[in-house]
Amino acid sequence: MTTPEFSVSVSSLDAGGKSYTFPVRPAWLLGALEGCDASPTEKEGRIEVRLSMSGRDVVAHGRLEAEIQVPCARCTAPAKVSISQDFSVLFVPTESVAVRGDDEEVVASEDPDSMPYDGDTVVLDDFVRDEILLETPMFPLCSEACEGMSPPPGSGAEASASTNVDPRLLPLLRWKTPEKS
């Protein structure tokens, strides 16, 4: 297991809360996004978060800023994606988490904005990774004007129509091209 990048000791928190700023290093992003199409850019991101106690729960409000690159959906060139997202999450002690038969953890309160924390430390790493992946567009573009992949010159439909046409379809080709008289 790797050492957490974004962790805070619960014993240092109180109801008034404390603010923290963490750098989101490209090296951390590279490991966190392993197995995904996304990869980090050279630009370092940042997490600004305010953590406070509410009973035994830890409330986190903050902002995540990062930059990643993903393949363009049209031309597969690298497309930079800037992520700037406000977030709120409730960390609940592990004792509040129920475990299903397949060892999957489920937060007992069934609140989708709740995550478990173990021991005396709140670790934001998995949450930050999830936020980055959720903010990645499903159809990323390198630019709005991207035309996508184009075939090499001379390999268009016109060039291949006369050479690679099934002979049974030749009569239809006459309708496509006007006859010269």
Side-chain angles (χ1 to χ4, degrees):
M1 184 174 167
T2 61
T3 306
E5 186 84 5
F6 318 114
S7 63
V8 176
S9 173
V10 175
S11 62
S12 67
L13 300 175
D14 58 15
K18 265 184 146 175
S19 294
Y20 297 90
T21 301
F22 298 102
V24 180
R25 299 177 305 113
W28 179 83
L29 277 172
L30 184 63
L33 298 174
E34 188 175 350
C36 301
D37 286 340
S39 62
T41 63
E42 304 83 35
K43 187 176 178 183
E44 189 171 272
R46 183 172 64 178
I47 300 171
E48 294 175 353
V49 63
R50 181 157 184 85
L51 299 168
S52 59
M53 294 297 293
S54 176
R56 294 185 57 221
D57 299 341
V58 177
V59 180
H61 297 284
R63 182 162 195 79
L64 166 66
E65 294 178 1
E67 186 176 87
I68 60 173
Q69 61 185 13
V70 293
C72 175
R74 292 184 186 157
C75 69
T76 68
K80 288 189 178 181
V81 175
S82 293
I83 297 169
S84 185
Q85 179 66 33
D86 292 325
F87 63 85
S88 294
V89 65
L90 179 69
F91 289 91
V92 296
T94 306
E95 301 88 46
S96 302
V97 176
V99 178
R100 291 186 187 161
D102 57 358
D103 294 333
E104 181 181 345
E105 293 182 350
V106 180
V107 177
S109 68
E110 300 195 16
D111 183 2
D113 292 328
S114 295
M115 294 192 67
Y117 73 89
D118 192 21
D120 189 39
T121 306
V122 172
V123 179
L124 299 166
D125 291 36
D126 289 339
F127 174 75
V128 171
R129 178 187 185 275
D130 291 348
E131 284 295 309
I132 289 170
L133 291 175
L134 287 171
E135 289 302 312
T136 303
M138 292 178 68
F139 197 79
L141 299 176
C142 58
S143 74
E144 289 296 323
C146 179
E147 295 181 10
M149 289 189 237
S150 59
S155 65
E158 296 81 21
S160 63
S162 61
T163 57
N164 297 328
V165 174
D166 185 333
R168 296 171 290 180
L169 299 175
L170 282 175
L172 295 175
L173 186 59
R174 279 185 259 152
W175 285 350
K176 181 180 177 190
T177 56
E179 295 182 24
K180 294 181 181 178
S181 28

